[in-house]
Amino acid sequence: MIAILTVTGLDHTGIVAAVSTRLAELDVNLCNISQTIMGDYFTMIAQCEFDEQAHPIESLQSDLKTVGDEQQVVIRLQSEAIFRAMHEL
Amino acid sequence: MDTEHEILETIEMIEEYRLDIRTVTMGINLLDCADPDPQTACERIYERIVSSARRLVPVAEGIEAELGIPIINKRISVTPISLVAGASRTEDYTCFAAALDRAAHEVGVDFLGGFSALAQKSRSAADRHLMDSLPQALATTDVVCSSVNIGSTKAGINMSAVGRMGELIREIADRTGGMGCAKLVVFCNAVGDNPFMAGAFHGVEEGDVCINVGVSGPGVVKRALDKVPDASFGGMAETIKKAAFKVTRMGQLVGTMAAERLGVPFGIVDLSLAPTAAIGDSVAEILETMGVGTVGGHGTTVALALLNDAVKKGGLMACSHVGGLSGSFIPVSEDAGMIDAVTSGVLGLDKLEAMTAICSVGLDMIAIPGDTPATTIAAMIADEAAIGMMNNKTTAVRVIPVPGAAVGDDIDFGGLLGHAPVMAVHRSDAGPLISRGGRLPAPVHSFRS
C-alpha cells in the first residue's frame, strides 16, 4: 500500500531520526519525503510504501502513535487514496 | 504524488473543520421475508439483516482507519415494513420492530430505518396496522427509525393519513417523553435511497443489497467562504461548488471502498450538508458568513437557495451516482447556529417553513409545546407536504411535542440529535380543516407558476 505519513508538532531535536528509525524497523519504505519548519512548528510529509498483509495499517498507526507520544508530535498514516480522491479529477 | 498543500488541506478539513462521512448505510431488501406467520417472518427478517450486514461495521471501521476520516454512523435501511408485514396474520406490527431492533444490535449499527409505510395515495390494511403500531414500536425499541409517506406530486396528499399522523405524534410523544418522535419522519415525495435517518428506507425499486453514503461538511464550506469575504454571489457559488466537490469525493471514495469490500453494489452519494450541534459544524453559520445577520432574518432564504444549489452543482461532478435527499439540512436541534437563532427570537417556524421550500428537507428536529393539538401538528405536516407536492421535491416533518414543556425550555435529545429550545406554534384551530379528511388532488403539472 502507498500511504502518506504526516508528522506535525513543536520542533525539537531527533523527530526525523525517531520516526524514520521506527519506520525502518517496521519495514516501511520511504519513497518521498519533505520537511519544513514554520516558526517553531515542525511539519514532515512523506510518501511511503509497505506490505499491508505483513503490516496492516492499523498496527502501523498504533506503533507510530507510540513514537508520536514519545516525541510529543502528531503522526498520521493515511492511504494515499483519500488525497488523490479529493484533489484529482 | 499530491502536493504538500493539498495533503495538509485535507488533514485540516478533517481535524479542524469536522469533515466526516456522516453515514454508510446498507440498504437491504426484505420483500421475500414475508410469511403468513408473523413469527416466521420476523425470524427471516432477523436472519436476512444479520447475514447481509454482519461485516458492515468492521469494514466501515477499517476504511475509517485506513483513510483517516471519521465515519460517524453505520446504518441499515430496509424495505418499508408495511409491504413485508402485510402478508402476516397479525394487526400488531410491534414484533417486526423488535426483530429489526435485535438485528441492528447484533450487527452493531447505530440506527436502522424502514419501519415505514407508503400511504401517499391511500392506506392499505397493512399501512394502517403499521401506523397504529408506531407508539408501541417506538416506545419499546432503541435504534429503529420510522417514516410514513403521506403525499407525492403524482398522488396528491392523503389528508386522512395526515390527520392520523398528527394524533400518532402526540401519542408517541406522551408515551416516550417526546424522544420517540425524534425517530419518526412524515414525508411527502419520500425517496428510496436516502441514507439519512430517521427517514431512510430501502425502496422497492432497489436491488437486494446496496451501499449508500451520506457526507457532511458544513464546516468545510464555511471555512472556504471565510477566505472570500468580498466575493459576489457568483464568487460565493464558485467557492461553495469547489468545497462541495471535495467533500463529495470523500463520500464517493468511502462508498466505493465499502461496496467493494462488502461485495455489494454501490448505490448513491447523498450530497446533503448535514450539520451537528458542535460549534463550526453548522449550516446556519454558513448563511451568516454569507452576510445574513442572524439566520431567520430577511435574506436567509436567498442565501440558503444559493448554498443548496451550489452544493448540488459541486457535488454532482464528484461522484458517479447522486441520490437521496441531496441538499442542505436545516434541523434545529442538530445545528448550533439554528439553536442560537431560535433562542434569540430571530428564527421562528414560519421562516423555517419558507426555508424548506428551497432546500432539503423540512421542519426537522423541532421541539414544540407538549400540549400542541394533534390537528395543529397535522396542519404543519400538511403545509410541508403542500410545499413538497407543488415543488416536486421531498419535504418532511419531524417535530417533537415535549410533554410538560413550554416555549423557550431547552430540551436535550442526546448525541447527534443535539438539543433544542421549544418553539412557539400558532394557536389558531386547524381542526375543521384536518377533520375533512380524504385526499387532496394531485397538482396540475403544466401552467407552473
Side-chain angles (χ1 to χ4, degrees):
Chain A
M1 173 186 279
I2 307 278
I4 302 294
L5 176 91
T6 52
V7 184
T8 51
L10 283 178
D11 186 37
H12 61 83
T13 307
I15 299 175
V16 175
V19 174
S20 55
T21 301
R22 191 73 188 113
L23 289 173
E25 290 166 0
L26 293 166
D27 252 352
V28 177
N29 184 36
L30 284 169
C31 311
N32 204 340
I33 185 165
S34 77
Q35 182 241 303
T36 56
I37 293 178
M38 295 183 69
D40 294 332
Y41 215 67
F42 171 93
T43 302
M44 174 176 138
I45 301 174
Q47 185 190 42
C48 52
E49 188 170 17
F50 54 90
D51 178 356
E52 59 185 317
Q53 302 301 324
H55 298 283
I57 193 166
E58 288 96 331
S59 72
L60 293 177
Q61 287 166 338
S62 172
D63 276 317
L64 290 168
K65 184 172 185 317
T66 308
V67 179
D69 291 345
E70 287 164 6
Q71 296 293 320
Q72 296 185 307
V73 292
V74 177
I75 305 180
R76 307 166 199 81
L77 185 69
Q78 296 162 273
S79 167
E80 194 183 42
I82 185 170
F83 304 103
R84 288 203 181 280
M86 181 176 278
H87 297 287
E88 287 183 9
L89 276 177
Chain B
M1 176 70 181
D2 302 282
T3 67
E4 293 162 30
H5 170 75
E6 288 169 341
I7 289 170
L8 294 176
E9 183 192 18
T10 302
I11 290 170
E12 186 185 51
M13 281 183 184
I14 295 169
E15 295 186 358
E16 303 292 324
Y17 303 108
R18 299 179 181 277
L19 171 61
D20 56 53
I21 302 298
R22 174 55 57 85
T23 177
V24 172
T25 303
M26 175 179 272
I28 304 173
N29 171 28
L30 300 180
L31 280 172
D32 58 346
C33 296
D35 193 275
D37 175 27
Q39 185 64 34
T40 304
C42 286
E43 285 167 12
R44 286 182 182 169
I45 287 169
Y46 177 87
E47 288 300 325
R48 172 65 50 80
I49 293 170
V50 170
S51 62
S52 302
R54 188 176 291 286
R55 293 173 52 236
L56 174 62
V57 173
V59 162
E61 286 174 348
I63 294 169
E64 203 173 356
E66 188 175 323
L67 298 180
I69 187 167
I71 300 173
I72 306 300
N73 269 194
K74 295 85 185 174
R75 302 172 175 170
I76 291 171
S77 63
V78 298
T79 307
I81 286 298
S82 72
L83 300 178
V84 183
S88 297
R89 288 188 294 266
T90 179
E91 295 185 3
D92 181 2
Y93 289 179
T94 309
C95 57
F96 290 91
L100 297 174
D101 209 42
R102 279 199 309 277
H105 283 308
E106 174 62 25
V107 298
V109 292
D110 301 283
F111 288 107
L112 183 152
F115 192 74
S116 304
L118 305 177
Q120 59 267 38
K121 193 168 186 180
S122 185
R123 280 179 292 169
S124 65
D127 295 331
R128 288 176 193 276
H129 298 331
L130 184 128
M131 288 166 66
D132 292 342
S133 303
L134 280 172
Q136 177 71 5
L138 293 177
T140 54
T141 55
D142 290 329
V143 296
V144 171
C145 293
S146 177
S147 56
V148 177
N149 194 44
I150 49 76
S152 74
T153 302
K154 289 282 279 183
I157 302 173
N158 182 344
M159 288 301 300
S160 299
V162 169
R164 181 69 182 128
M165 286 312 299
E167 296 167 358
L168 286 166
I169 287 170
R170 272 298 302 268
E171 198 178 329
I172 293 161
D174 291 341
R175 295 254 336 237
T176 63
M179 283 305 297
C181 298
K183 300 185 286 180
L184 171 65
V185 182
V186 187
F187 274 121
C188 176
N189 288 323
V191 293
D193 56 5
N194 161 30
F196 287 104
M197 295 298 170
F201 62 85
H202 188 68
V204 291
E205 69 279 16
E206 301 287 325
D208 282 331
V209 188
C210 70
I211 289 290
N212 297 323
V213 172
V215 296
S216 182
V220 175
V221 174
K222 180 184 182 301
R223 163 79 173 155
L225 286 172
D226 279 338
K227 291 179 179 172
V228 291
D230 300 320
S232 66
F233 275 79
M236 286 197 295
E238 284 304 306
T239 301
I240 295 167
K241 279 158 62 178
K242 287 175 187 162
F245 178 87
K246 292 174 182 172
V247 169
T248 310
R249 291 289 274 192
M250 296 298 94
Q252 171 77 19
L253 174 65
V254 168
T256 309
M257 288 173 75
E260 194 178 300
R261 293 178 187 188
L262 290 163
V264 303
F266 175 50
I268 57 95
V269 177
D270 188 318
L271 304 179
S272 299
L273 282 184
T276 68
I279 301 295
D281 205 18
S282 158
V283 170
E285 287 174 9
I286 297 175
L287 303 179
E288 290 172 1
T289 300
M290 290 165 77
V292 174
T294 301
V295 164
H298 296 298
T300 300
T301 310
V302 72
L304 184 57
L306 182 143
L307 172 65
N308 202 49
D309 187 62
V311 164
K312 289 178 194 171
K313 285 172 176 165
L316 277 167
M317 192 175 160
C319 59
S320 55
H321 296 285
V322 176
L325 302 169
S326 287
S328 298
F329 289 154
I330 51 169
V332 172
S333 78
E334 300 170 7
D335 188 312
M338 296 284 179
I339 295 166
D340 290 346
V342 172
T343 306
S344 68
V346 178
L347 180 61
L349 273 175
D350 291 340
K351 190 62 176 179
L352 274 169
E353 185 183 304
M355 291 160 74
T356 67
I358 47 94
C359 80
S360 69
V361 133
L363 297 176
D364 194 16
M365 287 305 291
I366 292 167
I368 57 175
D371 62 355
T372 305
T375 48
T376 300
I377 297 169
M380 292 166 74
I381 294 169
D383 281 346
E384 271 303 310
I387 290 171
M389 175 186 72
M390 297 302 289
N391 294 302
N392 205 10
K393 72 183 284 291
T394 307
T395 50
V397 172
R398 181 165 52 154
V399 292
I400 297 128
V402 184
V407 172
D409 292 352
D410 193 80
I411 309 299
D412 192 352
F413 300 110
L416 278 178
L417 297 174
H419 68 101
V422 175
M423 296 179 74
V425 300
H426 293 293
R427 286 292 171 182
S428 62
D429 181 17
L433 178 78
I434 297 302
S435 64
R436 289 174 182 272
R439 180 154 57 96
L440 188 150
V444 65
H445 294 291
S446 58
F447 309 111
R448 294 178 69 90
S449 61

